[in-house]
Amino acid sequence: MTTYKIAVRLEAPVNPTEVEERVVETITTLFPESEVATHGDRVTATTHDVSHFRKRLFQQRILDTARSEFFANRGPNGFSFELTKQAARNDVVNFAVGNPDELGDVQVAITVHEPDVEAFIDYLAPATEDGEPPEYPGE
């Protein structure tokens, strides 16, 4: 089994019409192991655990979409993406594309220390075969 060494940083705005605790819940629903801090109109979080997020990618059968998003936004040390806040709060992965949602999106940046970015993406969202995902291996 490969050991992955990563750092995940999440950030989301808190709008005047929102309750701060709900924005915190938005982040901790998909990334329950996050250490969260609030900074006035922003919530930030860090984690090294993406197991729940990965499980949801498999359950929602959106591995191809996720891979596409991850590879489109990768750099030499990691990749980033944005999630819609409303969906995230409901434990649903919905990638934000195009214009930002009026509530703002959850920005996610994953830095990969080991082994490398492509190998981690292969773990997080493995390639499907004719659209069929591999069986979820659990943790």
Side-chain angles (χ1 to χ4, degrees):
M1 181 175 165
T2 303
T3 301
Y4 298 97
K5 187 174 175 188
I6 61 160
V8 182
R9 179 165 170 77
L10 303 106
E11 188 171 337
V14 179
N15 294 297
T17 59
E18 293 179 296
V19 176
E20 185 177 275
E21 290 78 28
R22 289 194 176 165
V23 178
V24 169
E25 286 174 19
T26 296
I27 289 174
T28 59
T29 298
L30 283 176
F31 297 90
E33 302 301 321
S34 296
E35 293 181 25
V36 182
T38 56
H39 312 277
D41 65 346
R42 300 208 71 72
V43 172
T44 60
T46 57
T47 187
H48 301 283
D49 184 352
V50 293
S51 57
H52 180 75
F53 179 74
R54 180 175 184 254
K55 183 177 182 179
R56 295 300 295 139
L57 294 175
F58 276 81
Q59 289 172 334
Q60 290 178 228
R61 300 176 63 94
I62 58 169
L63 296 174
D64 289 334
T65 299
R67 282 179 70 79
S68 175
E69 192 69 21
F70 300 158
F71 277 114
N73 296 295
R74 77 175 166 161
N77 300 316
F79 57 99
S80 62
F81 54 93
E82 294 184 353
L83 301 170
T84 60
K85 284 166 75 174
Q86 187 67 35
R89 188 158 186 277
N90 291 310
D91 204 21
V92 173
V93 177
N94 185 26
F95 294 100
V97 293
N99 295 330
D101 186 77
E102 66 183 53
L103 294 178
D105 299 318
V106 178
Q107 299 166 336
V108 183
I110 299 180
T111 303
V112 181
H113 300 288
E114 291 178 16
D116 60 56
V117 176
E118 188 169 337
F120 183 71
I121 291 173
D122 286 343
Y123 159 77
L124 189 58
T128 64
E129 193 168 311
D130 296 325
E132 285 299 311
E135 185 174 322
Y136 180 70
E139 294 302 320

